[in-house]
Amino acid sequence: MTKISFAGLIIAVCGFTGASAQSDLYKTFKQKFPDDPAVFVERSEVLTIQLKDDSLQVFTDVSEDILHLKEQSEAYASGRVYGSHFNQVKDIKAKTLIWDKSRYKEMSVSDFKKNSDRDAGIFYDDSYYYSFNYPSVSNGNRTQLEYRSFQKDVKFIPGFIFSTYLPQGKTSYTIKTSPQVDLFYEVLNDAAGVIKFRKFEKGGFKYYEWTATNLPARRSEDSSPSIRYYVPHVITYVKSYESKKGKVNVLSNLDDLYHWYYSFVDGLDKEAASPELTAVVEKIKSQSKNETDIVRNVFYWVQENIQYIAFEEGMRGLIPHNGTYVCEKRYGDCKDMASLIVSMLNIAGVKSYRTWIGTRDLPYKYSQVPTPLVDNHMIATYIAADGQYYFLDATSDHTPFGLPSSMIQGKEALIGLDKDHYVVKTVPEIPKERNTMTDSITIKLDGNQIVGKGASALTGYAKVFGGYELDRAEKDDVKRYVTRLIGKGSNKFYLDDFKVANENDRDKPTRINYTFRIGDYFQKIGDELYINLNLNKDYYNAFINTALRQTPKENDYRYESLEYSELTIPDGYEIEYLPPGAKQDGDLLGFETRYEKKNGKIVFSKKLYINYLLMQTNQFDQWNEAVKSLSEAYKESLILKKK
C-alpha cells in the first residue's frame, strides 16, 4: 500500500513546520470557512489499475485529514468505512492529532468494529462498515484516516465526487494505470473550471490527476435531485488493455456491457416451467381477449402476487432467479419480477424481453457511459405488433399497464432481444394531461361557515401516488391523507365524511366523494360578504430564493389539477363584484381561472399545471414569474351585497 505520511501532509499543506505553521493553518481555514464546524485539510483517493499476470488488479487508497473548527464538531468524532462483496476494505488506520503546547500529539484508534450495513428496505445486503471513534475531538484538533479498498471487478469503478458535507482545502483524485490500459475519463458539471487536470508518466505508470482547492461544503436543499446531476465529478472506465495474448475489451462500447449483462440471464428460459407456474399462465390466457390483454393480466398478476424484496449479495445483485423459483417463493427483487414476467409471457407464447435501466437517480446514458454506472434497475419490455413499447415495472405495484413507473421516465432502456442483439429505447416522459386530479364541489354559506360536498378523481401518476397513501390498514391514516389531498380554505377545514372507490382498480380513476365544512372562512363587513373562492392555494408565494438556492429542483411527475366550484348565492344578496379571470401559460407552471354567474350560483373554475421533471437553476426566474401571477390571482375575492 502507498503509505501516506501525515507529517509530510502537514508540511505540504502549511508550507513549513512549527507552532506558527499550525496556528496559521487554523486561522486560514477559520477565516475561509467561519460558519463550518470542520474542514478537510486534504482529501484524496488514488485508484490503481495494474496489469499483473495478464489480468487487472484494482484498488483504491483513501486518505482524509479533517481540522475541527468548532467545539460542536464532535458530531464528526465517529467514523465509518464502508465495504461490500465487490469492495473489500483493508489496512484501516485512524488517529487524532491533539494540539497541545504548540505541537501535535498523536492518539491512534485501535478499536474498529465490523457491522452489517443492512438498509431497512433491503432483505439481504452484503455491504458492511467498520465503525470507530476518534479520541479527543475538539476545536483545533485534527482527525486523520487512511485505508485501502480492493475492487473485485474493474467494471465497477465508481468515479469520484468532489463535493462533500464539509468544505475542503485540497481535494485530489488520481488514477494510476499500467501503460497497457486504455482509460476513458470525463469531468461532469464543472462549467466554472474548478477542477484542474494533468496527465503524466512516472515509474512505468500513467497518472491521471484531478485537483481542486477551497471547495465549499455541499448544502442540502429540498427536492434536489441526485448530486450527480449538479456537483463536479469524474466518471471513468477501462475500455480495454493489452495482454500477452492481445487486446482484451472490458467496456470499449455498449456491446461489451450488453454481452456481460446477458451472461447473467442466458439460460434462464431454457429450464422447464413448474406445473404451478404453467397453471397460473393458462388461467390468465383463458381470461384474456388478445395478446395485449395477456400481457396486461400477467403484469397485474405479478404486481399483486409477488412481494418486492431487495437483495444485494455479491453476484446475486446482478443475476435474477428463473420464473419458477420466483413464483414458488412469491417474493423477489426487480430482476426476479422482470424475469418472472418474461417467463410467464414465454409460456403464454408472447415474446417479451428483460431490460436493464437506470432510475432517475442516475443522470447517465448508455451512449455516454457504457458501464454499470448507468443502471440500477431491471424491468420487462413488451413490443406490440403496432410497434408500441410497454415498459413493465412490477415493483411499482399501483402503476397501471401502459404507464411506466415514474422513476424511469426519460431514461434509456437496454432491451435484451437475444444473445447478440439489443435495442436502446428511451422511456417516454408522461405528459401532464395524463396525470390529473379533478375536484368538483358545491358549497353554500351556513351561519359563519361554509359547508359543501365534493367529488375528486385521480388519474395517471396522481392515482399511483395516491394509491400508496390510500393502501393503509388504518382508517384514520386514510382520513388524514384524504384531508391533505382535498383540504381547502384554511386550517379550519373539517372532513365530515368520505368514501373512496376504485383505489385498487388500476384501469379506473380513483374517486373520492366527501362532505366538509370550513369555519370562519368568509368576512362580513356591513352589508357586504367577502369570499375568496380560491379554496385551494397550491404554490401560493412558492418563490425560489435565487440568491440562496444552488441546486436544481426535481419533481416526481408532470400533472394537471382541475377545480370546479359552485357557490349558491345566499337569499337576499346580489353580486357586487365578480373578479376577472386570470391566465398564465408558463413552461414550468401555468394556470387559468374563470368566474361567472349561472342560475343563482357563482361558478369558479381553475386549471393549474406543473410541467417539469427537473427544473434547472437557470429556470428559477421563469418559475418565480409564474408564481407571482398565480399568487396575485389567489388574492381575488368576490363581494356579495344585501339587496
Side-chain angles (χ1 to χ4, degrees), residues 439 441 443 448-452 482-495 514 516-523 530-538 540 563 565 604 606 634-637:
D439 188 43
I441 63 173
I443 57 177
N448 65 346
Q449 65 181 356
I450 290 176
V451 297
V482 173
T483 300
R484 291 198 310 271
L485 182 69
I486 54 99
K488 44 183 64 71
S490 72
N491 58 6
K492 293 187 178 182
F493 172 90
Y494 185 79
L495 181 64
Y514 59 96
F516 67 97
R517 49 197 157 95
I518 309 171
D520 300 324
Y521 180 72
F522 58 91
Q523 286 185 313
Y530 293 80
I531 307 170
N532 189 323
L533 288 183
N534 288 279
L535 298 180
N536 188 337
K537 294 184 175 66
D538 285 343
Y540 176 67
E563 298 176 32
S565 305
F604 169 72
K606 183 181 77 175
Y634 280 154
K635 295 176 182 178
E636 289 282 1
S637 294

Side-chain angles (χ1 to χ4, degrees), residues 603-638:
V603 177
F604 169 72
S605 62
K606 183 181 77 175
K607 175 181 176 181
L608 170 72
Y609 64 80
I610 299 297
N611 195 31
Y612 74 90
L613 293 180
L614 188 65
M615 186 196 312
Q616 299 293 349
T617 54
N618 61 6
Q619 296 176 296
F620 288 170
D621 287 338
Q622 182 182 354
W623 169 269
N624 285 342
E625 284 299 315
V627 168
K628 181 180 179 181
S629 298
L630 177 65
S631 300
E632 288 298 320
Y634 280 154
K635 295 176 182 178
E636 289 282 1
S637 294
L638 66 91

Side-chain angles (χ1 to χ4, degrees), residues 432-433 560 582-594 607-611 622-623 625-630 633:
K432 62 184 186 300
E433 293 82 6
E560 284 187 349
K583 187 175 182 180
Q584 173 80 30
D585 293 322
D587 291 337
L588 306 170
L589 181 155
F591 71 94
E592 182 176 9
T593 60
R594 292 176 180 269
K607 175 181 176 181
L608 170 72
Y609 64 80
I610 299 297
N611 195 31
Q622 182 182 354
W623 169 269
E625 284 299 315
V627 168
K628 181 180 179 181
S629 298
L630 177 65

Side-chain angles (χ1 to χ4, degrees), residues 246-535:
K247 183 179 179 180
V248 177
N249 286 341
V250 180
L251 293 170
S252 63
N253 53 41
L254 187 52
D255 288 349
D256 291 336
L257 179 66
Y258 176 72
H259 288 132
W260 182 55
Y261 277 176
Y262 194 84
S263 69
F264 302 146
V265 301
D266 191 17
L268 284 178
D269 296 325
K270 296 177 183 178
E271 301 178 25
S274 67
E276 178 190 8
L277 182 57
T278 302
V280 169
V281 175
E282 290 301 323
K283 183 177 180 180
I284 290 174
K285 284 185 66 177
S286 69
Q287 298 171 341
S288 303
K289 301 175 182 178
N290 50 46
E291 182 172 282
T292 302
D293 208 29
I294 293 173
V295 179
R296 174 189 289 105
N297 292 333
V298 165
F299 179 54
Y300 286 168
W301 189 92
V302 175
Q303 285 179 311
E304 294 167 2
N305 291 277
I306 305 300
Q307 182 181 0
Y308 172 71
I309 297 178
F311 285 87
E312 294 182 12
E313 181 187 7
M315 295 303 293
R316 173 66 186 92
L318 301 170
I319 302 174
H321 287 117
N322 62 41
T324 291
Y325 180 91
V326 181
C327 178
E328 176 187 343
K329 297 298 182 183
R330 288 296 200 268
Y331 64 77
D333 61 10
C334 63
K335 300 179 299 298
D336 295 329
M337 297 175 90
S339 186
L340 176 58
I341 290 172
V342 172
S343 296
M344 292 177 70
L345 291 176
N346 186 49
I347 295 170
V350 179
K351 192 65 178 174
S352 62
Y353 310 96
R354 294 176 180 86
T355 302
W356 294 265
I357 194 168
T359 66
R360 286 164 52 197
D361 288 335
L362 303 175
Y364 314 115
K365 296 182 177 181
Y366 287 108
S367 55
Q368 174 196 26
V369 190
T371 82
L373 280 177
V374 179
D375 50 56
N376 57 356
H377 194 40
M378 179 176 273
I379 61 173
T381 300
Y382 164 68
I383 307 173
D386 61 1
Q388 182 175 351
Y389 284 71
Y390 292 85
F391 300 98
L392 310 174
D393 184 0
T395 66
S396 179
D397 56 6
H398 288 275
T399 298
F401 178 72
L403 195 70
S405 57
S406 66
M407 64 183 176
I408 61 172
Q409 292 179 89
K411 298 295 298 181
E412 285 186 344
L414 178 60
I415 304 169
L417 302 178
D418 56 38
K419 185 175 182 179
D420 298 312
H421 301 90
Y422 60 87
V423 63
V424 176
K425 188 76 173 178
T426 299
V427 176
E429 297 180 1
I430 303 305
K432 62 184 186 300
E433 293 82 6
R434 289 186 62 184
N435 310 309
T436 65
M437 176 179 173
T438 61
D439 188 43
S440 179
I441 63 173
T442 58
I443 57 177
K444 64 181 180 179
L445 307 186
D446 184 6
N448 65 346
Q449 65 181 356
I450 290 176
V451 297
K453 60 181 180 179
S456 291
L458 306 174
T459 69
Y461 291 135
K463 174 184 172 67
V464 173
F465 280 72
Y468 289 110
E469 296 287 347
L470 293 169
D471 190 13
R472 296 174 180 269
E474 299 296 332
K475 186 173 177 63
D476 286 345
D477 291 334
V478 175
K479 184 175 182 179
R480 278 190 285 269
Y481 168 69
V482 173
T483 300
R484 291 198 310 271
L485 182 69
I486 54 99
K488 44 183 64 71
S490 72
N491 58 6
K492 293 187 178 182
F493 172 90
Y494 185 79
L495 181 64
D496 287 307
D497 193 21
F498 71 96
K499 184 178 181 180
V500 181
N502 302 332
E503 67 268 34
N504 295 318
D505 189 331
R506 298 173 185 83
D507 297 319
K508 294 180 180 179
T510 296
R511 299 194 180 278
I512 305 172
N513 293 305
Y514 59 96
T515 58
F516 67 97
R517 49 197 157 95
I518 309 171
D520 300 324
Y521 180 72
F522 58 91
Q523 286 185 313
K524 185 175 182 180
I525 302 176
D527 291 338
E528 295 180 332
L529 296 178
Y530 293 80
I531 307 170
N532 189 323
L533 288 183
N534 288 279
L535 298 180

Side-chain angles (χ1 to χ4, degrees), residues 68-85:
H68 298 265
L69 303 176
K70 293 182 179 180
E71 290 299 335
Q72 58 265 41
S73 71
E74 289 183 359
Y76 305 101
S78 60
R80 286 188 179 186
V81 176
Y82 290 87
S84 68
H85 169 82

